[in-house]
Amino acid sequence: MRSILSFVTAVLNRTTPPPKPEQIEIIEVPLPPSLDNTTEGACTPAINPRRTGCIAPTGLNSGNFMPDGLHVTASVTFVGAPASPDPASVYSGLQFILLKADGTTFPNGDTWKCISCSVPDANKVGSTELGEYPQTFRDGTKAMSGVNIINCGMAQLTSENCTPNKTYIYPIRLSNEANDDGSGPGFPLRELRLHPDDVHLTFNTFAETSSGLGEVGFFGRLQFNETGSRYDLINVTILNPPELVRPIIAEGKQLTVNRSAITIGELRGLTGTGKEVVYVGYPYESCNIDLFAVSLATGAVRRITAHPEYADPIGVSPDDKWQVVLDTRGSGRLMFLSGLRSVPPITDLVTVTASSSVRNNGNRRFFEPYLLDYEGDRSEYFGQKINAAGNGSPGSINDPNWNAGADPRWSLDGTRVVYFQWLAIPPACGGSNSLLCETSPYADGREERVMIATFTNRKPLPIKSVAEAPDDIPWGTKYVPGMTLTAAEITVPAGEYTLQGNLFGYADVSITLNNANTALQTVSVAYHQFSDDGINFVAGYENVTLTPVNITLNRWDWFSNITSTGPVSGTKVTSSDGFHMEIDEVWNFFEANGTLTTTIDGVSYRQPCNYC
Ligand SMILES: *[C@@H]1O[C@H](CO)[C@@H](O)[C@H](O)[C@H]1NC(C)=O
Ligand SMILES: *[C@@H]1O[C@H](CO)[C@@H](O)[C@H](O)[C@H]1NC(C)=O
Ligand SMILES: *[C@@H]1O[C@H](CO)[C@@H](O)[C@H](O)[C@H]1NC(C)=O
Ligand SMILES: *[C@@H]1O[C@H](CO)[C@@H](O)[C@H](O)[C@H]1NC(C)=O
Ligand SMILES: *[C@@H]1O[C@H](CO)[C@@H](O)[C@H](O)[C@H]1NC(C)=O
Ligand SMILES: *[C@@H]1O[C@H](CO)[C@@H](O)[C@H](O)[C@H]1NC(C)=O
Ligand SMILES: *[C@@H]1O[C@H](CO)[C@@H](O)[C@H](O)[C@H]1NC(C)=O
Ligand SMILES: *[C@@H]1O[C@H](CO)[C@@H](O)[C@H](O)[C@H]1NC(C)=O
């Protein structure tokens, strides 16, 4: 019955049949020796005879493939360097390195090359930490790491011609003042991603909202500023101005859900061709956090993931036909919140931060890499787990205690994907936590690793250059230095409303504000055979009250008794005393009293235990 219905749905929605599972081979990329000792000189010649550094067991980020497909970018923390003037003293702190991806070595015999380690101070004035999202430009002579550009002039970063004296590290700056003399630091920027045209990028900055913390997402052009010795961001567009982000519309007593709305919560970069930006957006279905793409040229929105679990990091293939998403699917972590499909995203007016914060337990992420085709999740297709092979034993390819970090990245020929993983470590395991800590299976004790998946039956794609994208985003808002940045807040006026099902039934919705009338507080919904798809029918009620404790810590008091009937029958029910949850969106430690349980076709999904 269910497969007939999903076939009918596929035909009605004009979707193509899901792809067949592919053959995937996984290898591990060699890293510098790991050392759990930050004492000066602890990285001895016995540990690294070539005197080219030791790295901390944690903190690695890998990035993308160099254009030759033979190297991968990474940032690591070097520790235990000897004091200056020992030449090995430069292998210290957070640095940008290249890793050999093909089993060969650099001429000195190492499998890595530190690009930033010996750069003279005069060549990196004003630069900042080289941490997250180390990524090469497609021309191979420049890279971006943190909020900096690493530039080797005409030389390929991989070549012997790229020497420290020829290397410059420039900060990237977004002007934040109307009459800017270029002296201040500008806006603090995060989550920077290069466009494949090597000229544009996307980025976010935090901004407060009435109920907590939000992000403003931008698209802009990089321009080298010789006088300022930095890269400036110019011709910048805001992609989620508050007036645009309106997925829930109130008109009179009627509420509607606008699934064409552009609802960028956090920008996650660009597709392989750079024609669309990808982002974590406002849910299409209640409590289900998904990835979407929006066309820079037209503003058309496309949903990529639909699995009830949580997705966020994404890498799209150079031809846009495939993507790898990092997702909690398979872990069951969020099914208690989002397992019931087809519930409209109304209580989400106050619960989006709840649904997105439960994804981690502190530093333990539940992300695994999944391959999805262009159309993404649909009917019973939920992609292919990339690292499925293995026996799950400690350190194996599919050991669930090794969790992937942002971002997975494709080789330019579309045959391989690189991703990195961190081992769960205290306090995300051990002590009072019910998850036991696993000892590192590696002789040097490292708790991080870089993996390359090869799709062995794929033919390499021709490597195409990407035309420069226009600066203008017709649906965005031009950023003008000095303007006040406001993070979009999804809200509707307090009141009593009706929400019609697209095909059947309706829901009564009641919305109240806090005492100060500054932010949404309670959303109550009563469903009456509500159906958007004509297949699943929702009945019962859900009411949720949000109380901010501070800017990142929130409390939710939650009462549900929802029933869904149709091809999948299920319930979402809180205990009689309700479900009461607190979570800090930065630390992600879950704490609750009472229960919230979702049952689908007789299988019950319960909330995680507190602090695990
Ligand atoms: C790099 O530049 C410094 C300062 O100009 C100089 O002392 C040093 O010899 C140069 N190193 C190399 C390898 O050229
Ligand atoms: C380049 O930097 C200088 C010095 O900080 C500044 O005065 C100037 O406005 C910048 N140019 C542009 C185009 O932003
Ligand atoms: C920035 O945009 C303006 C107008 O929108 C355009 O005239 C200018 O050429 C753009 N700057 C660059 C460097 O492309
Ligand atoms: C839904 O959002 C799209 C994209 O912003 C917009 O063009 C459209 O007018 C909106 N629909 C309604 C009914 O507001
Ligand atoms: C929410 O539901 C509970 C249980 O039915 C009820 O006691 C409470 O008054 C409701 N709160 C609101 C604001 O509707
Ligand atoms: C919010 O409160 C929690 C618990 O008291 C505290 O640990 C955290 O640091 C606070 N965060 C901010 C941003 O004040
Ligand atoms: C939930 O609603 C159903 C149907 O109205 C009812 O039979 C059941 O007792 C309710 N459960 C709880 C825990 O309130
Ligand atoms: C759970 O109940 C305990 C004991 O009353 C209380 O200390 C704690 O703050 C409660 N936590 C939440 C999230 O409500």
Side-chain angles (χ1 to χ4, degrees), residues 244 249 258 260-262:
L244 185 69
I249 300 165
N258 184 0
S260 305
I262 303 164

Tab-separated table of all heavy atoms in Angstrom, residues 244 249 258 260-262, ligand 4:
chain	number	residue	atom	x	y	z
A	244	LEU	N	12.131	39.890	4.037
A	244	LEU	CA	12.027	38.799	3.055
A	244	LEU	C	11.672	37.457	3.705
A	244	LEU	O	10.985	36.631	3.115
A	244	LEU	CB	13.372	38.673	2.312
A	244	LEU	CG	13.433	37.675	1.166
A	244	LEU	CD1	12.579	38.153	-0.004
A	244	LEU	CD2	14.881	37.490	0.709
A	249	ILE	N	2.517	33.522	7.041
A	249	ILE	CA	1.879	34.803	6.735
A	249	ILE	C	0.531	34.873	7.439
A	249	ILE	O	-0.265	33.930	7.372
A	249	ILE	CB	1.687	34.946	5.213
A	249	ILE	CG1	3.053	34.880	4.521
A	249	ILE	CG2	0.990	36.263	4.876
A	249	ILE	CD1	2.950	34.653	3.036
A	258	ASN	N	4.112	29.758	3.524
A	258	ASN	CA	4.649	30.049	2.193
A	258	ASN	C	5.928	29.247	1.989
A	258	ASN	O	7.002	29.635	2.449
A	258	ASN	CB	4.928	31.545	2.055
A	258	ASN	CG	5.400	31.896	0.650
A	258	ASN	OD1	5.519	31.010	-0.211
A	258	ASN	ND2	5.669	33.171	0.429
A	260	SER	N	7.523	28.844	-0.668
A	260	SER	CA	8.440	29.452	-1.644
A	260	SER	C	9.292	30.532	-0.992
A	260	SER	O	10.161	31.121	-1.633
A	260	SER	CB	7.667	30.108	-2.777
A	260	SER	OG	6.806	29.184	-3.360
A	261	ALA	N	8.993	30.844	0.274
A	261	ALA	CA	9.736	31.917	0.941
A	261	ALA	C	11.209	31.530	1.080
A	261	ALA	O	11.538	30.357	1.256
A	261	ALA	CB	9.114	32.192	2.300
A	262	ILE	N	12.073	32.530	0.990
A	262	ILE	CA	13.518	32.324	1.186
A	262	ILE	C	13.776	32.547	2.674
A	262	ILE	O	13.572	33.651	3.175
A	262	ILE	CB	14.318	33.316	0.316
A	262	ILE	CG1	13.920	33.150	-1.156
A	262	ILE	CG2	15.820	33.134	0.506
A	262	ILE	CD1	14.340	34.306	-2.041
B	4	LIG	C1	6.085	33.620	-0.878
B	4	LIG	O1	7.474	33.924	-0.950
B	4	LIG	C2	7.912	34.276	-2.250
B	4	LIG	C3	9.423	34.460	-2.169
B	4	LIG	O2	9.775	35.479	-1.271
B	4	LIG	C4	7.210	35.532	-2.710
B	4	LIG	O3	7.610	35.834	-4.027
B	4	LIG	C5	5.708	35.316	-2.673
B	4	LIG	O4	5.056	36.517	-2.984
B	4	LIG	C6	5.276	34.856	-1.284
B	4	LIG	N1	3.879	34.523	-1.287
B	4	LIG	C7	2.990	35.160	-0.545
B	4	LIG	C8	1.597	34.682	-0.625
B	4	LIG	O5	3.311	36.094	0.186
